[in-house]
């Protein structure tokens, strides 16, 4: 399970939080945690939406 | 000229840094600092650069061990926690980055063979398998080769030479900071029909060669490796002992933390803590910044802990309040990251502290 992280300084979602260990994953195609997230999305899953005060 | 140098020059012209395996002596263990851990079915990184797979979560207990052959002080141990004969695939892998392997020219007519050498020990004697996957531009190709542990509970030195994959695999054209090859010690694969053909490149992923040991069928069975070296050429040179600081820096391209090297993650400690003082901004956030010791392979996955070890949080203190909040990374890059947390009050003097880890594993 994942959750989007909204960055107040960039005013957009910039990271994905992996909920089981609270790790923050960047949108970098070479990051293997991000690749795992994309595979999870491809199975029809959706992340929890971000809270804008993060 | 020493024998090692002569052999290395003959093999690859690299006297130093000929070993493409990082942490082959299994000394560096930033995540667990020597404590044991169990596998997950998605794969779990333990000792630096090494990832363990097991179809069944909790099947394996992995640890940096002090059981080692002469000339080494550590090994990586894998113990079968609960035996099973049903689909008990298990393996220990290290992925090698394109930047560190493109000189092999795999997938071309001038591809170089490689030789892997290692010390291995198991409580169950018999035939085991070593496997390489090449991420070719046309197709991934796999090579599986057997080796025999002739005596239980006895260290044995193994060398295996692997030919270059065929040109049909295609030259490596992916980004150089991605995986060039996956190297694997197959520990177990019972519950499946053997589909591996020894010493042949194939586009079919092999699980094992028929007749191989399925260690996971033996509760409490142990498997150790150390002194792992993979180098260009057809000759195994003596293990390349790199200086500790050099080996650590090689590991930190893929994983780095604020804790002392032999302090496990989430330990309650102030040693290595980032600790800064400043003002919150107009939103009530206080902002920090970390410069990594070594530039990462890719923008890393970030983790944070309070000094007490609470995951995902960093600690703040300001006039009238204190606590912890979500540590959020921003402007994250391969060399540094910013981070912030909300204190609930704008433009007040505050303190911010916590621990962090950055992971850019393959």
């Amino acid at each position: 399970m994942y959750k989007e992280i909204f960055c107040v300084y960039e005013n957009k979602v910039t990271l994905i939080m992996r909920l089981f260990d609270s790790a923050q994953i960047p949108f970098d195609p070479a990051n293997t945690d991000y690749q795992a997230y994309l595979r999870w999305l491809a199975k029809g899953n959706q992340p929890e939406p971000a809270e804008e005060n993060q | 000229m020493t024998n090692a140098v002569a052999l290395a020059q003959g093999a690859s012209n690299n006297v130093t840094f000929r070993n493409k395996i990082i942490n082959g002596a299994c000394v560096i263990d930033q995540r667990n600092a020597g404590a044991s851990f169990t596998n997950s079915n998605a794969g779990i990184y333990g000792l630096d650069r090494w990832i363990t797979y097991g179809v069944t979560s909790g099947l394996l207990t992995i640890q940096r061990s002090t059981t080692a052959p002469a000339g080494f002080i550590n090994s990586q141990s894998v113990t079968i926690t609960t035996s099973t004969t049903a689909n008990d695939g298990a393996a220990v892998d290290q992925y090698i980055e394109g930047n560190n392997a493109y000189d092999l020219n795999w997938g071309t007519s001038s591809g170089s063979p490689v030789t892997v050498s290692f010390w291995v020990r198991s409580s169950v004697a018999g035939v085991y398998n070593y496997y390489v996957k090449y991420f070719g531009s046309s197709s991934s190709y796999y090579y599986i080769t057997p080796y025999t542990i002739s005596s239980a509970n006895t260290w044995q030195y193994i060398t295996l030479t692997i030919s270059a994959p065929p040109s049909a695999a295609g030259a490596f054209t992916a980004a150089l900071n991605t995986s060039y090859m996956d190297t694997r010690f197959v520990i177990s694969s019972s519950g499946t029909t053997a589909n591996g053909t020894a010493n042949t490149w194939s586009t079919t992923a092999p699980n094992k060669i028929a007749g191989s040991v399925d260690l996971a069928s033996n509760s409490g069975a142990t498997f150790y490796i150390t002194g792992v070296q993979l180098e260009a050429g057809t000759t195994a040179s003596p293990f390349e002992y790199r200086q500790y600081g050099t080996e650590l820096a090689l590991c930190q391209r893929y994983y780095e933390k604020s804790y002392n090297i032999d302090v496990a993650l989430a330990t309650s400690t102030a040693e290595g803590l980032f600790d800064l003082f400043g003002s919150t901004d107009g939103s009530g956030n206080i902002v920090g910044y970390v410069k990594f010791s070594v530039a990462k392979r890719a923008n890393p996955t970030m983790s944070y802990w309070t000094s007490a070890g609470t995951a995902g949080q960093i600690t703040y203190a300001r006039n009238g309040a204190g606590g912890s909040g979500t540590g959020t990374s921003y402007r994250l890059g391969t060399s540094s990251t910013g981070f912030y947390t909300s204190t609930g009050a704008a433009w007040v003097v505050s303190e911010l502290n916590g621990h962090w880890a950055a992971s850019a594993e393959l």
Side-chain angles (χ1 to χ4, degrees):
Chain A
M1 296 290 290
Y2 297 89
K3 181 180 180 179
E4 296 175 333
I5 299 177
F6 183 86
C7 177
V8 296
Y9 297 109
E10 300 183 56
N11 200 33
K12 63 181 179 181
V13 172
T14 56
L15 299 162
I16 294 294
M17 180 178 287
R18 188 171 57 203
L19 293 176
F20 84 86
D21 63 355
S22 301
Q24 299 173 11
I25 302 168
F27 295 150
D28 182 343
N31 180 301
T32 51
D33 294 319
Y34 181 60
Q35 293 167 9
Y37 168 69
L38 293 178
R39 291 193 294 272
W40 181 82
L41 277 184
K43 293 177 181 175
N45 298 302
Q46 285 294 315
E48 295 179 17
E51 299 161 13
E52 293 215 358
N53 61 350
Q54 279 183 319
Chain B
M1 184 178 293
T2 67
N3 187 42
V5 171
L7 284 171
Q9 286 185 325
S12 65
N13 292 324
N14 287 338
V15 176
T16 58
F17 292 95
R18 62 188 183 278
N19 188 3
K20 297 185 182 301
I21 296 292
I22 297 172
N23 199 24
C26 302
V27 171
I28 300 169
D29 183 17
Q30 294 190 77
R31 294 174 182 81
N32 299 290
S36 66
F37 60 99
T38 57
N39 73 289
S40 69
N41 60 7
I44 184 168
Y45 273 95
L47 277 69
D48 280 63
R49 301 297 299 119
W50 293 100
I51 182 169
T52 303
Y53 292 101
V55 171
T56 305
S57 295
L59 172 71
L60 312 170
T61 300
I62 306 104
Q63 189 168 22
R64 181 182 65 186
S65 171
T66 54
T67 298
F72 295 91
I73 57 173
N74 290 116
S75 64
Q76 181 170 200
S77 70
V78 179
T79 303
I80 306 303
T81 310
T82 305
S83 69
T84 173
T85 56
N87 194 15
D88 61 356
V92 177
D93 293 38
Q94 184 166 138
Y95 293 86
I96 298 176
E97 183 181 340
N99 280 307
N100 299 332
Y102 67 84
D103 57 300
L104 297 175
N105 292 311
W106 279 9
T108 75
S109 58
S110 57
S112 171
V114 295
T115 296
V116 62
S117 54
F118 54 90
W119 286 91
V120 65
R121 166 179 167 146
S122 174
S123 61
V124 179
V127 175
Y128 289 77
N129 300 160
Y130 187 81
Y131 146 129
V132 170
K133 175 183 181 182
Y134 166 58
F135 295 90
S137 56
S138 298
S139 180
S140 290
Y141 269 69
Y142 306 82
Y143 188 100
I144 191 166
T145 186
Y147 63 93
T148 300
I149 296 178
S150 53
S151 299
N153 300 315
T154 305
W155 282 106
Q156 190 168 336
Y157 181 67
I158 302 289
T159 67
L160 304 165
T161 294
I162 297 167
S163 62
S167 298
F172 186 78
T173 56
L176 285 170
N177 66 339
T178 62
S179 290
Y180 189 94
M181 72 170 87
D182 173 16
T183 66
R184 169 172 292 182
F185 290 91
V186 180
I187 295 172
S188 191
S189 188
S190 70
T192 58
T193 301
N195 68 343
T197 301
N199 304 324
T200 301
W201 285 98
S202 169
T203 54
T204 301
N207 51 21
K208 62 180 174 182
I209 298 166
S212 302
V213 171
D214 285 317
L215 201 67
S217 303
N218 303 271
S219 183
T222 54
F223 182 87
Y224 299 84
I225 53 170
T226 193
V228 185
Q229 178 155 295
L230 187 145
E231 58 197 303
T234 57
T235 304
S237 65
F239 183 77
E240 179 187 12
Y241 290 94
R242 292 188 281 250
Q243 291 198 357
Y244 180 85
T246 300
E247 199 74 28
L248 175 61
L250 295 177
C251 293
Q252 287 176 325
R253 176 168 173 77
Y254 306 90
Y255 192 87
E256 184 179 346
K257 63 179 183 176
S258 60
Y259 297 95
N260 285 354
I261 297 304
D262 259 338
V263 173
L265 305 177
T267 297
S268 177
T269 179
E271 291 185 356
L273 197 72
F274 68 75
D275 197 345
L276 60 92
F277 294 83
S279 173
T280 60
D281 62 14
S283 302
N285 293 320
I286 182 167
V287 178
Y289 166 84
V290 164
K291 176 82 169 68
F292 304 136
S293 297
V294 176
K296 298 293 166 280
R297 179 192 65 83
N299 291 342
T301 298
M302 293 299 302
S303 299
Y304 297 94
W305 295 266
T306 66
S307 60
T310 301
Q313 303 277 302
I314 50 180
T315 303
Y316 68 88
R318 62 171 172 80
N319 187 18
S324 62
T326 300
T328 301
S329 303
Y330 81 115
R331 296 170 185 159
L332 172 61
T334 57
S335 296
S336 64
T337 187
F339 50 84
Y340 63 92
T341 196
S342 174
T343 70
W347 307 119
V348 294
V349 173
S350 296
E351 177 188 7
L352 179 68
N353 66 50
H355 280 289
W356 56 270
S359 175
E361 291 286 5
L362 284 162

